[in-house]
Amino acid sequence: DIQMTQSPSSLPASLGDRVTITCRASQDIGNYLRWFQQKPGKSPRLMIYGATNLANGVPSRFSGSRSGSDYSLTINSLESEDMAIYYCLQHNEYPFTFGSGTKLEIK
Amino acid sequence: QVQLKESGPGLVQPSQTLSLTCTVSGFSLTSYHVSWVRQPPGKGLEWMGVIWTGGSTAYNSLLKSRLSISRDTSKSQVFLKMNSLQTEDTATYYCARDRAGSPFDYWGQGVMVTVSS
């Protein structure tokens, strides 16, 4: 199975900060990488698809990038509504695997 | 619009079988796959399995011996059955729309299942 190593697990940040979350894939997954946002008591929400593409309705302060087997989610100018847990997902092959999650919280 | 909704018992006794239903609307089960994903309280997401548009299935190897996914296309329903439940199976269970190259664009609201006597 493909392992997705996500870091950090917790990310204290201030409003207006620029933050980056990273997932490293244990095997080549191409651009079959998605990012999800999950708020307490809610279902995950698709934020980024194809490693770098913004999903419908997602604010432009979110962006995705790839460098080799490292995939990053960056949020520019953090807003209070961005406080949530973020997960990466590889869907290059079954079983699909998620990263362990990053909890973004106010410092 | 696209909707998925999970339903099932909130409490299951240890060693018993869990049966969940995912009722979908706004799309056809012959055009989109449906996956099940679960999340133990305070923990991360785990892909459980998928039923593809043709009716074939694939499962997480960790659950394969206990898990079965089926569907009724006429009722737009997908079913999950998992036997020999243990307390570690306590989780919120989600169904999500899946398509080759474009998985999990829509999710159900989830159903919390507690395994306890």
mmCIF file of all heavy atoms in Angstrom, chain A residues 1 32 34 36 38 41-46 49-50 85 87 89-91 94-101, chain B residues 33 35 37 39 43-47 50 52 58 60-61 94 98 101-105 107-110:
data_model
loop_
_atom_site.group_PDB
_atom_site.id
_atom_site.type_symbol
_atom_site.label_atom_id
_atom_site.label_comp_id
_atom_site.label_asym_id
_atom_site.label_seq_id
_atom_site.Cartn_x
_atom_site.Cartn_y
_atom_site.Cartn_z
ATOM 1 N N ASP A 1 0.845 -1.190 0.000
ATOM 2 C CA ASP A 1 0.000 0.000 0.000
ATOM 3 C C ASP A 1 0.885 1.247 0.000
ATOM 4 O O ASP A 1 1.979 1.271 0.574
ATOM 5 C CB ASP A 1 -0.902 0.023 1.238
ATOM 6 C CG ASP A 1 -1.882 -1.139 1.288
ATOM 7 O OD1 ASP A 1 -1.873 -1.959 0.337
ATOM 8 O OD2 ASP A 1 -2.624 -1.233 2.262
ATOM 9 N N TYR A 32 -2.057 12.367 -8.697
ATOM 10 C CA TYR A 32 -3.281 11.831 -8.132
ATOM 11 C C TYR A 32 -3.311 12.090 -6.623
ATOM 12 O O TYR A 32 -3.292 11.171 -5.802
ATOM 13 C CB TYR A 32 -3.419 10.352 -8.458
ATOM 14 C CG TYR A 32 -3.678 10.106 -9.919
ATOM 15 C CD1 TYR A 32 -2.653 9.676 -10.764
ATOM 16 C CD2 TYR A 32 -4.934 10.335 -10.465
ATOM 17 C CE1 TYR A 32 -2.883 9.461 -12.112
ATOM 18 C CE2 TYR A 32 -5.173 10.127 -11.815
ATOM 19 C CZ TYR A 32 -4.147 9.695 -12.627
ATOM 20 O OH TYR A 32 -4.373 9.495 -13.959
ATOM 21 N N ARG A 34 -5.147 14.676 -3.631
ATOM 22 C CA ARG A 34 -6.202 15.630 -3.283
ATOM 23 C C ARG A 34 -5.992 16.090 -1.845
ATOM 24 O O ARG A 34 -5.440 15.359 -1.017
ATOM 25 C CB ARG A 34 -7.580 14.988 -3.427
ATOM 26 C CG ARG A 34 -7.880 14.609 -4.864
ATOM 27 C CD ARG A 34 -9.325 14.244 -5.121
ATOM 28 N NE ARG A 34 -9.625 14.533 -6.537
ATOM 29 C CZ ARG A 34 -10.829 14.636 -7.053
ATOM 30 N NH1 ARG A 34 -11.888 14.465 -6.284
ATOM 31 N NH2 ARG A 34 -10.991 14.905 -8.322
ATOM 32 N N PHE A 36 -8.173 17.710 1.480
ATOM 33 C CA PHE A 36 -9.494 17.896 2.070
ATOM 34 C C PHE A 36 -9.379 18.715 3.349
ATOM 35 O O PHE A 36 -8.385 18.607 4.076
ATOM 36 C CB PHE A 36 -10.146 16.547 2.390
ATOM 37 C CG PHE A 36 -10.452 15.725 1.173
ATOM 38 C CD1 PHE A 36 -9.498 14.876 0.640
ATOM 39 C CD2 PHE A 36 -11.679 15.815 0.549
ATOM 40 C CE1 PHE A 36 -9.766 14.120 -0.493
ATOM 41 C CE2 PHE A 36 -11.959 15.064 -0.589
ATOM 42 C CZ PHE A 36 -10.998 14.220 -1.104
ATOM 43 N N GLN A 38 -11.500 19.433 6.919
ATOM 44 C CA GLN A 38 -12.575 18.914 7.754
ATOM 45 C C GLN A 38 -12.712 19.753 9.014
ATOM 46 O O GLN A 38 -11.744 19.915 9.771
ATOM 47 C CB GLN A 38 -12.343 17.454 8.124
ATOM 48 C CG GLN A 38 -13.548 16.827 8.818
ATOM 49 C CD GLN A 38 -13.344 15.366 9.169
ATOM 50 O OE1 GLN A 38 -12.244 14.930 9.473
ATOM 51 N NE2 GLN A 38 -14.431 14.597 9.125
ATOM 52 N N GLY A 41 -17.321 17.908 13.402
ATOM 53 C CA GLY A 41 -18.681 17.454 13.171
ATOM 54 C C GLY A 41 -19.144 17.504 11.735
ATOM 55 O O GLY A 41 -20.322 17.266 11.454
ATOM 56 N N LYS A 42 -18.213 17.811 10.825
ATOM 57 C CA LYS A 42 -18.578 17.940 9.409
ATOM 58 C C LYS A 42 -17.857 16.896 8.557
ATOM 59 O O LYS A 42 -16.828 16.335 8.962
ATOM 60 C CB LYS A 42 -18.210 19.340 8.891
ATOM 61 C CG LYS A 42 -18.942 20.466 9.614
ATOM 62 C CD LYS A 42 -20.425 20.424 9.363
ATOM 63 C CE LYS A 42 -21.126 21.628 9.953
ATOM 64 N NZ LYS A 42 -22.601 21.585 9.731
ATOM 65 N N SER A 43 -18.394 16.665 7.371
ATOM 66 C CA SER A 43 -17.737 15.787 6.409
ATOM 67 C C SER A 43 -16.548 16.519 5.791
ATOM 68 O O SER A 43 -16.531 17.762 5.742
ATOM 69 C CB SER A 43 -18.729 15.404 5.311
ATOM 70 O OG SER A 43 -19.899 14.851 5.851
ATOM 71 N N PRO A 44 -15.573 15.755 5.301
ATOM 72 C CA PRO A 44 -14.460 16.403 4.594
ATOM 73 C C PRO A 44 -14.954 17.156 3.361
ATOM 74 O O PRO A 44 -15.935 16.771 2.728
ATOM 75 C CB PRO A 44 -13.579 15.211 4.201
ATOM 76 C CG PRO A 44 -13.896 14.155 5.198
ATOM 77 C CD PRO A 44 -15.368 14.315 5.475
ATOM 78 N N ARG A 45 -14.237 18.218 3.050
ATOM 79 C CA ARG A 45 -14.544 19.061 1.899
ATOM 80 C C ARG A 45 -13.346 19.064 0.975
ATOM 81 O O ARG A 45 -12.211 19.321 1.410
ATOM 82 C CB ARG A 45 -14.865 20.490 2.336
ATOM 83 C CG ARG A 45 -15.027 21.492 1.197
ATOM 84 C CD ARG A 45 -14.999 22.921 1.704
ATOM 85 N NE ARG A 45 -15.101 23.899 0.614
ATOM 86 C CZ ARG A 45 -14.903 25.210 0.752
ATOM 87 N NH1 ARG A 45 -14.593 25.702 1.943
ATOM 88 N NH2 ARG A 45 -15.014 26.015 -0.281
ATOM 89 N N LEU A 46 -13.570 18.804 -0.301
ATOM 90 C CA LEU A 46 -12.490 18.821 -1.288
ATOM 91 C C LEU A 46 -11.986 20.242 -1.488
ATOM 92 O O LEU A 46 -12.775 21.148 -1.773
ATOM 93 C CB LEU A 46 -12.980 18.236 -2.610
ATOM 94 C CG LEU A 46 -11.984 18.262 -3.776
ATOM 95 C CD1 LEU A 46 -10.773 17.383 -3.477
ATOM 96 C CD2 LEU A 46 -12.673 17.807 -5.061
ATOM 97 N N TYR A 49 -7.526 19.392 -6.120
ATOM 98 C CA TYR A 49 -7.477 18.132 -6.856
ATOM 99 C C TYR A 49 -6.345 18.186 -7.879
ATOM 100 O O TYR A 49 -5.888 19.271 -8.239
ATOM 101 C CB TYR A 49 -8.825 17.841 -7.542
ATOM 102 C CG TYR A 49 -9.195 18.810 -8.639
ATOM 103 C CD1 TYR A 49 -8.872 18.547 -9.976
ATOM 104 C CD2 TYR A 49 -9.866 19.996 -8.348
ATOM 105 C CE1 TYR A 49 -9.215 19.426 -10.980
ATOM 106 C CE2 TYR A 49 -10.203 20.881 -9.348
ATOM 107 C CZ TYR A 49 -9.885 20.597 -10.666
ATOM 108 O OH TYR A 49 -10.224 21.479 -11.662
ATOM 109 N N GLY A 50 -5.912 17.007 -8.294
ATOM 110 C CA GLY A 50 -4.813 16.961 -9.255
ATOM 111 C C GLY A 50 -3.562 17.657 -8.735
ATOM 112 O O GLY A 50 -2.792 18.217 -9.512
ATOM 113 N N ILE A 85 -8.936 20.635 10.265
ATOM 114 C CA ILE A 85 -7.944 19.579 10.026
ATOM 115 C C ILE A 85 -7.886 19.342 8.523
ATOM 116 O O ILE A 85 -8.923 19.270 7.860
ATOM 117 C CB ILE A 85 -8.301 18.287 10.777
ATOM 118 C CG1 ILE A 85 -8.371 18.563 12.282
ATOM 119 C CG2 ILE A 85 -7.271 17.199 10.485
ATOM 120 C CD1 ILE A 85 -8.800 17.372 13.117
ATOM 121 N N TYR A 87 -6.369 16.960 5.340
ATOM 122 C CA TYR A 87 -5.887 15.631 4.991
ATOM 123 C C TYR A 87 -5.512 15.588 3.514
ATOM 124 O O TYR A 87 -6.219 16.153 2.672
ATOM 125 C CB TYR A 87 -6.973 14.565 5.205
ATOM 126 C CG TYR A 87 -7.415 14.364 6.632
ATOM 127 C CD1 TYR A 87 -8.510 15.054 7.139
ATOM 128 C CD2 TYR A 87 -6.751 13.468 7.459
ATOM 129 C CE1 TYR A 87 -8.935 14.861 8.449
ATOM 130 C CE2 TYR A 87 -7.162 13.266 8.773
ATOM 131 C CZ TYR A 87 -8.254 13.967 9.260
ATOM 132 O OH TYR A 87 -8.666 13.774 10.555
ATOM 133 N N LEU A 89 -4.882 12.922 0.268
ATOM 134 C CA LEU A 89 -5.350 11.618 -0.195
ATOM 135 C C LEU A 89 -4.645 11.271 -1.486
ATOM 136 O O LEU A 89 -4.617 12.094 -2.407
ATOM 137 C CB LEU A 89 -6.858 11.645 -0.450
ATOM 138 C CG LEU A 89 -7.414 10.468 -1.267
ATOM 139 C CD1 LEU A 89 -7.514 9.230 -0.399
ATOM 140 C CD2 LEU A 89 -8.754 10.803 -1.906
ATOM 141 N N GLN A 90 -4.078 10.070 -1.547
ATOM 142 C CA GLN A 90 -3.566 9.605 -2.834
ATOM 143 C C GLN A 90 -4.622 8.688 -3.456
ATOM 144 O O GLN A 90 -5.177 7.811 -2.787
ATOM 145 C CB GLN A 90 -2.209 8.892 -2.697
ATOM 146 C CG GLN A 90 -2.220 7.526 -2.067
ATOM 147 C CD GLN A 90 -2.669 6.392 -2.995
ATOM 148 O OE1 GLN A 90 -2.640 6.522 -4.225
ATOM 149 N NE2 GLN A 90 -3.105 5.276 -2.407
ATOM 150 N N HIS A 91 -4.882 8.911 -4.728
ATOM 151 C CA HIS A 91 -5.836 8.058 -5.435
ATOM 152 C C HIS A 91 -5.229 7.535 -6.724
ATOM 153 O O HIS A 91 -5.917 7.340 -7.723
ATOM 154 C CB HIS A 91 -7.165 8.785 -5.656
ATOM 155 C CG HIS A 91 -7.067 10.057 -6.440
ATOM 156 N ND1 HIS A 91 -7.379 10.143 -7.768
ATOM 157 C CD2 HIS A 91 -6.711 11.316 -6.055
ATOM 158 C CE1 HIS A 91 -7.223 11.384 -8.184
ATOM 159 N NE2 HIS A 91 -6.815 12.116 -7.162
ATOM 160 N N TYR A 94 -5.659 1.728 -5.695
ATOM 161 C CA TYR A 94 -6.327 1.207 -4.507
ATOM 162 C C TYR A 94 -5.337 0.330 -3.729
ATOM 163 O O TYR A 94 -4.494 -0.333 -4.342
ATOM 164 C CB TYR A 94 -7.543 0.368 -4.892
ATOM 165 C CG TYR A 94 -8.695 1.172 -5.405
ATOM 166 C CD1 TYR A 94 -8.997 1.208 -6.765
ATOM 167 C CD2 TYR A 94 -9.501 1.922 -4.544
ATOM 168 C CE1 TYR A 94 -10.065 1.938 -7.253
ATOM 169 C CE2 TYR A 94 -10.572 2.657 -5.020
ATOM 170 C CZ TYR A 94 -10.854 2.670 -6.378
ATOM 171 O OH TYR A 94 -11.906 3.408 -6.850
ATOM 172 N N PRO A 95 -5.388 0.315 -2.415
ATOM 173 C CA PRO A 95 -6.304 1.096 -1.593
ATOM 174 C C PRO A 95 -5.901 2.567 -1.537
ATOM 175 O O PRO A 95 -4.732 2.898 -1.344
ATOM 176 C CB PRO A 95 -6.155 0.457 -0.202
ATOM 177 C CG PRO A 95 -4.755 -0.052 -0.200
ATOM 178 C CD PRO A 95 -4.486 -0.503 -1.608
ATOM 179 N N PHE A 96 -6.881 3.437 -1.722
ATOM 180 C CA PHE A 96 -6.618 4.848 -1.529
ATOM 181 C C PHE A 96 -6.144 5.044 -0.090
ATOM 182 O O PHE A 96 -6.633 4.378 0.834
ATOM 183 C CB PHE A 96 -7.872 5.671 -1.745
ATOM 184 C CG PHE A 96 -8.359 5.693 -3.173
ATOM 185 C CD1 PHE A 96 -9.587 6.252 -3.466
ATOM 186 C CD2 PHE A 96 -7.608 5.176 -4.224
ATOM 187 C CE1 PHE A 96 -10.064 6.298 -4.778
ATOM 188 C CE2 PHE A 96 -8.062 5.212 -5.534
ATOM 189 C CZ PHE A 96 -9.293 5.769 -5.800
ATOM 190 N N THR A 97 -5.220 5.955 0.117
ATOM 191 C CA THR A 97 -4.712 6.198 1.458
ATOM 192 C C THR A 97 -4.647 7.688 1.752
ATOM 193 O O THR A 97 -4.268 8.499 0.888
ATOM 194 C CB THR A 97 -3.326 5.565 1.658
ATOM 195 O OG1 THR A 97 -2.504 5.822 0.505
ATOM 196 C CG2 THR A 97 -3.438 4.059 1.842
ATOM 197 N N PHE A 98 -5.022 8.007 2.991
ATOM 198 C CA PHE A 98 -5.006 9.382 3.456
ATOM 199 C C PHE A 98 -3.752 9.634 4.281
ATOM 200 O O PHE A 98 -3.203 8.720 4.909
ATOM 201 C CB PHE A 98 -6.218 9.643 4.371
ATOM 202 C CG PHE A 98 -7.547 9.637 3.680
ATOM 203 C CD1 PHE A 98 -8.274 8.464 3.564
ATOM 204 C CD2 PHE A 98 -8.083 10.815 3.178
ATOM 205 C CE1 PHE A 98 -9.521 8.448 2.943
ATOM 206 C CE2 PHE A 98 -9.325 10.818 2.554
ATOM 207 C CZ PHE A 98 -10.043 9.629 2.437
ATOM 208 N N GLY A 99 -3.342 10.886 4.312
ATOM 209 C CA GLY A 99 -2.362 11.295 5.300
ATOM 210 C C GLY A 99 -3.021 11.300 6.673
ATOM 211 O O GLY A 99 -4.251 11.204 6.800
ATOM 212 N N SER A 100 -2.207 11.451 7.688
ATOM 213 C CA SER A 100 -2.694 11.351 9.069
ATOM 214 C C SER A 100 -3.371 12.622 9.566
ATOM 215 O O SER A 100 -3.944 12.629 10.655
ATOM 216 C CB SER A 100 -1.538 10.999 9.998
ATOM 217 O OG SER A 100 -0.492 11.936 9.836
ATOM 218 N N GLY A 101 -3.306 13.682 8.789
ATOM 219 C CA GLY A 101 -4.004 14.905 9.148
ATOM 220 C C GLY A 101 -3.125 15.948 9.802
ATOM 221 O O GLY A 101 -2.162 15.633 10.504
ATOM 222 N N HIS B 33 -18.736 5.451 -9.094
ATOM 223 C CA HIS B 33 -18.472 4.509 -8.008
ATOM 224 C C HIS B 33 -18.894 5.144 -6.685
ATOM 225 O O HIS B 33 -19.101 6.363 -6.605
ATOM 226 C CB HIS B 33 -16.963 4.203 -7.896
ATOM 227 C CG HIS B 33 -16.253 4.045 -9.199
ATOM 228 N ND1 HIS B 33 -16.730 3.291 -10.250
ATOM 229 C CD2 HIS B 33 -15.055 4.544 -9.611
ATOM 230 C CE1 HIS B 33 -15.866 3.335 -11.240
ATOM 231 N NE2 HIS B 33 -14.842 4.095 -10.898
ATOM 232 N N SER B 35 -17.577 4.901 -2.575
ATOM 233 C CA SER B 35 -16.660 4.366 -1.569
ATOM 234 C C SER B 35 -17.214 4.581 -0.176
ATOM 235 O O SER B 35 -18.020 5.481 0.058
ATOM 236 C CB SER B 35 -15.296 5.069 -1.654
ATOM 237 O OG SER B 35 -14.472 4.526 -2.652
ATOM 238 N N VAL B 37 -15.786 5.324 3.704
ATOM 239 C CA VAL B 37 -14.637 5.830 4.455
ATOM 240 C C VAL B 37 -15.085 5.939 5.914
ATOM 241 O O VAL B 37 -16.207 6.373 6.175
ATOM 242 C CB VAL B 37 -14.196 7.214 3.934
ATOM 243 C CG1 VAL B 37 -13.069 7.787 4.806
ATOM 244 C CG2 VAL B 37 -13.771 7.132 2.476
ATOM 245 N N GLN B 39 -14.031 7.012 10.176
ATOM 246 C CA GLN B 39 -13.188 7.879 10.996
ATOM 247 C C GLN B 39 -13.487 7.635 12.466
ATOM 248 O O GLN B 39 -14.524 8.076 12.982
ATOM 249 C CB GLN B 39 -13.461 9.350 10.635
ATOM 250 C CG GLN B 39 -12.560 10.330 11.354
ATOM 251 C CD GLN B 39 -12.743 11.746 10.837
ATOM 252 O OE1 GLN B 39 -13.847 12.176 10.511
ATOM 253 N NE2 GLN B 39 -11.640 12.481 10.731
ATOM 254 N N LYS B 43 -9.727 10.657 15.352
ATOM 255 C CA LYS B 43 -8.652 10.088 14.531
ATOM 256 C C LYS B 43 -8.862 10.417 13.053
ATOM 257 O O LYS B 43 -9.756 11.168 12.695
ATOM 258 C CB LYS B 43 -8.581 8.577 14.755
ATOM 259 C CG LYS B 43 -8.212 8.213 16.188
ATOM 260 C CD LYS B 43 -7.901 6.746 16.337
ATOM 261 C CE LYS B 43 -7.458 6.433 17.762
ATOM 262 N NZ LYS B 43 -7.110 4.999 17.938
ATOM 263 N N GLY B 44 -7.995 9.849 12.220
ATOM 264 C CA GLY B 44 -7.999 10.183 10.804
ATOM 265 C C GLY B 44 -8.964 9.339 9.986
ATOM 266 O O GLY B 44 -9.744 8.539 10.506
ATOM 267 N N LEU B 45 -8.867 9.548 8.686
ATOM 268 C CA LEU B 45 -9.777 8.915 7.725
ATOM 269 C C LEU B 45 -9.185 7.617 7.186
ATOM 270 O O LEU B 45 -7.982 7.547 6.909
ATOM 271 C CB LEU B 45 -10.026 9.884 6.561
ATOM 272 C CG LEU B 45 -10.667 11.219 6.949
ATOM 273 C CD1 LEU B 45 -10.462 12.245 5.849
ATOM 274 C CD2 LEU B 45 -12.154 11.027 7.238
ATOM 275 N N GLU B 46 -10.038 6.626 7.024
ATOM 276 C CA GLU B 46 -9.606 5.327 6.510
ATOM 277 C C GLU B 46 -10.538 4.901 5.385
ATOM 278 O O GLU B 46 -11.747 4.759 5.598
ATOM 279 C CB GLU B 46 -9.611 4.273 7.617
ATOM 280 C CG GLU B 46 -9.217 2.886 7.148
ATOM 281 C CD GLU B 46 -9.333 1.838 8.236
ATOM 282 O OE1 GLU B 46 -10.269 1.920 9.060
ATOM 283 O OE2 GLU B 46 -8.491 0.907 8.258
ATOM 284 N N TRP B 47 -9.965 4.670 4.203
ATOM 285 C CA TRP B 47 -10.754 4.149 3.095
ATOM 286 C C TRP B 47 -11.047 2.680 3.368
ATOM 287 O O TRP B 47 -10.145 1.899 3.673
ATOM 288 C CB TRP B 47 -9.978 4.300 1.789
ATOM 289 C CG TRP B 47 -10.673 3.742 0.597
ATOM 290 C CD1 TRP B 47 -11.670 4.340 -0.125
ATOM 291 C CD2 TRP B 47 -10.446 2.469 -0.004
ATOM 292 N NE1 TRP B 47 -12.069 3.508 -1.157
ATOM 293 C CE2 TRP B 47 -11.327 2.360 -1.098
ATOM 294 C CE3 TRP B 47 -9.576 1.401 0.266
ATOM 295 C CZ2 TRP B 47 -11.369 1.232 -1.922
ATOM 296 C CZ3 TRP B 47 -9.614 0.291 -0.550
ATOM 297 C CH2 TRP B 47 -10.501 0.203 -1.620
ATOM 298 N N VAL B 50 -14.817 0.085 -2.075
ATOM 299 C CA VAL B 50 -15.524 0.762 -3.155
ATOM 300 C C VAL B 50 -16.373 -0.251 -3.923
ATOM 301 O O VAL B 50 -16.014 -1.429 -4.013
ATOM 302 C CB VAL B 50 -14.517 1.443 -4.110
ATOM 303 C CG1 VAL B 50 -13.570 0.422 -4.746
ATOM 304 C CG2 VAL B 50 -15.228 2.261 -5.188
ATOM 305 N N TRP B 52 -17.726 -0.365 -7.734
ATOM 306 C CA TRP B 52 -17.538 0.318 -9.005
ATOM 307 C C TRP B 52 -18.814 0.338 -9.822
ATOM 308 O O TRP B 52 -19.797 -0.353 -9.498
ATOM 309 C CB TRP B 52 -16.406 -0.350 -9.782
ATOM 310 C CG TRP B 52 -15.062 -0.096 -9.190
ATOM 311 C CD1 TRP B 52 -14.574 1.108 -8.745
ATOM 312 C CD2 TRP B 52 -14.014 -1.042 -8.969
ATOM 313 N NE1 TRP B 52 -13.284 0.957 -8.270
ATOM 314 C CE2 TRP B 52 -12.922 -0.344 -8.405
ATOM 315 C CE3 TRP B 52 -13.872 -2.408 -9.208
ATOM 316 C CZ2 TRP B 52 -11.713 -0.977 -8.067
ATOM 317 C CZ3 TRP B 52 -12.679 -3.034 -8.862
ATOM 318 C CH2 TRP B 52 -11.626 -2.326 -8.297
ATOM 319 N N ALA B 58 -13.827 -3.544 -4.385
ATOM 320 C CA ALA B 58 -12.464 -3.651 -3.883
ATOM 321 C C ALA B 58 -12.479 -3.221 -2.436
ATOM 322 O O ALA B 58 -13.239 -2.320 -2.065
ATOM 323 C CB ALA B 58 -11.497 -2.797 -4.691
ATOM 324 N N ASN B 60 -10.253 -2.581 1.429
ATOM 325 C CA ASN B 60 -9.030 -2.417 2.200
ATOM 326 C C ASN B 60 -8.640 -3.808 2.731
ATOM 327 O O ASN B 60 -9.465 -4.499 3.319
ATOM 328 C CB ASN B 60 -9.288 -1.439 3.349
ATOM 329 C CG ASN B 60 -8.054 -1.079 4.117
ATOM 330 O OD1 ASN B 60 -7.200 -1.921 4.390
ATOM 331 N ND2 ASN B 60 -7.953 0.189 4.484
ATOM 332 N N SER B 61 -7.400 -4.179 2.505
ATOM 333 C CA SER B 61 -6.960 -5.520 2.887
ATOM 334 C C SER B 61 -7.109 -5.771 4.383
ATOM 335 O O SER B 61 -7.301 -6.911 4.810
ATOM 336 C CB SER B 61 -5.512 -5.749 2.460
ATOM 337 O OG SER B 61 -4.666 -4.788 3.062
ATOM 338 N N TYR B 94 -18.726 7.193 6.500
ATOM 339 C CA TYR B 94 -19.139 8.050 5.404
ATOM 340 C C TYR B 94 -19.205 7.245 4.102
ATOM 341 O O TYR B 94 -18.372 6.363 3.870
ATOM 342 C CB TYR B 94 -18.116 9.166 5.159
ATOM 343 C CG TYR B 94 -17.902 10.144 6.272
ATOM 344 C CD1 TYR B 94 -16.836 10.017 7.153
ATOM 345 C CD2 TYR B 94 -18.734 11.257 6.418
ATOM 346 C CE1 TYR B 94 -16.607 10.945 8.165
ATOM 347 C CE2 TYR B 94 -18.513 12.199 7.425
ATOM 348 C CZ TYR B 94 -17.455 12.024 8.286
ATOM 349 O OH TYR B 94 -17.230 12.953 9.275
ATOM 350 N N ASP B 98 -17.350 8.573 -6.038
ATOM 351 C CA ASP B 98 -16.018 8.241 -6.519
ATOM 352 C C ASP B 98 -16.086 8.082 -8.024
ATOM 353 O O ASP B 98 -17.066 7.575 -8.559
ATOM 354 C CB ASP B 98 -15.569 6.948 -5.832
ATOM 355 C CG ASP B 98 -14.117 6.593 -6.072
ATOM 356 O OD1 ASP B 98 -13.442 7.304 -6.842
ATOM 357 O OD2 ASP B 98 -13.653 5.598 -5.477
ATOM 358 N N GLY B 101 -10.131 8.931 -11.295
ATOM 359 C CA GLY B 101 -9.412 10.183 -11.382
ATOM 360 C C GLY B 101 -10.049 11.335 -10.639
ATOM 361 O O GLY B 101 -9.479 12.433 -10.569
ATOM 362 N N SER B 102 -11.217 11.098 -10.063
ATOM 363 C CA SER B 102 -11.919 12.204 -9.402
ATOM 364 C C SER B 102 -12.722 11.711 -8.201
ATOM 365 O O SER B 102 -13.944 11.811 -8.175
ATOM 366 C CB SER B 102 -12.851 12.889 -10.397
ATOM 367 O OG SER B 102 -13.471 14.016 -9.804
ATOM 368 N N PRO B 103 -12.043 11.171 -7.216
ATOM 369 C CA PRO B 103 -12.759 10.593 -6.081
ATOM 370 C C PRO B 103 -13.155 11.613 -5.026
ATOM 371 O O PRO B 103 -12.519 12.648 -4.866
ATOM 372 C CB PRO B 103 -11.729 9.630 -5.490
ATOM 373 C CG PRO B 103 -10.428 10.301 -5.765
ATOM 374 C CD PRO B 103 -10.599 11.000 -7.096
ATOM 375 N N PHE B 104 -14.250 11.294 -4.328
ATOM 376 C CA PHE B 104 -14.661 11.972 -3.110
ATOM 377 C C PHE B 104 -14.949 13.455 -3.329
ATOM 378 O O PHE B 104 -14.613 14.291 -2.492
ATOM 379 C CB PHE B 104 -13.587 11.808 -2.029
ATOM 380 C CG PHE B 104 -13.165 10.372 -1.797
ATOM 381 C CD1 PHE B 104 -11.981 10.078 -1.143
ATOM 382 C CD2 PHE B 104 -13.929 9.315 -2.233
ATOM 383 C CE1 PHE B 104 -11.582 8.758 -0.929
ATOM 384 C CE2 PHE B 104 -13.552 8.004 -2.037
ATOM 385 C CZ PHE B 104 -12.361 7.727 -1.378
ATOM 386 N N ASP B 105 -15.588 13.785 -4.441
ATOM 387 C CA ASP B 105 -16.001 15.172 -4.625
ATOM 388 C C ASP B 105 -17.252 15.492 -3.829
ATOM 389 O O ASP B 105 -17.497 16.656 -3.485
ATOM 390 C CB ASP B 105 -16.180 15.519 -6.103
ATOM 391 C CG ASP B 105 -17.116 14.581 -6.836
ATOM 392 O OD1 ASP B 105 -17.501 13.540 -6.270
ATOM 393 O OD2 ASP B 105 -17.450 14.883 -7.997
ATOM 394 N N TRP B 107 -19.584 13.975 -0.390
ATOM 395 C CA TRP B 107 -19.630 13.079 0.765
ATOM 396 C C TRP B 107 -21.014 13.119 1.397
ATOM 397 O O TRP B 107 -21.720 14.121 1.332
ATOM 398 C CB TRP B 107 -18.626 13.529 1.830
ATOM 399 C CG TRP B 107 -17.194 13.464 1.448
ATOM 400 C CD1 TRP B 107 -16.556 14.210 0.492
ATOM 401 C CD2 TRP B 107 -16.189 12.640 2.042
ATOM 402 N NE1 TRP B 107 -15.224 13.894 0.446
ATOM 403 C CE2 TRP B 107 -14.965 12.941 1.392
ATOM 404 C CE3 TRP B 107 -16.181 11.683 3.055
ATOM 405 C CZ2 TRP B 107 -13.762 12.307 1.723
ATOM 406 C CZ3 TRP B 107 -14.986 11.059 3.397
ATOM 407 C CH2 TRP B 107 -13.790 11.362 2.727
ATOM 408 N N GLY B 108 -21.374 12.020 2.048
ATOM 409 C CA GLY B 108 -22.546 12.037 2.897
ATOM 410 C C GLY B 108 -22.232 12.756 4.199
ATOM 411 O O GLY B 108 -21.086 13.131 4.463
ATOM 412 N N GLN B 109 -23.241 12.923 5.022
ATOM 413 C CA GLN B 109 -23.070 13.602 6.301
ATOM 414 C C GLN B 109 -22.403 12.722 7.343
ATOM 415 O O GLN B 109 -21.920 13.215 8.358
ATOM 416 C CB GLN B 109 -24.427 14.049 6.828
ATOM 417 C CG GLN B 109 -25.373 12.873 7.124
ATOM 418 C CD GLN B 109 -26.800 13.309 7.396
ATOM 419 O OE1 GLN B 109 -27.203 14.409 7.038
ATOM 420 N NE2 GLN B 109 -27.572 12.429 8.003
ATOM 421 N N GLY B 110 -22.378 11.428 7.074
ATOM 422 C CA GLY B 110 -21.777 10.486 8.006
ATOM 423 C C GLY B 110 -22.782 9.964 9.015
ATOM 424 O O GLY B 110 -23.767 10.634 9.348
#
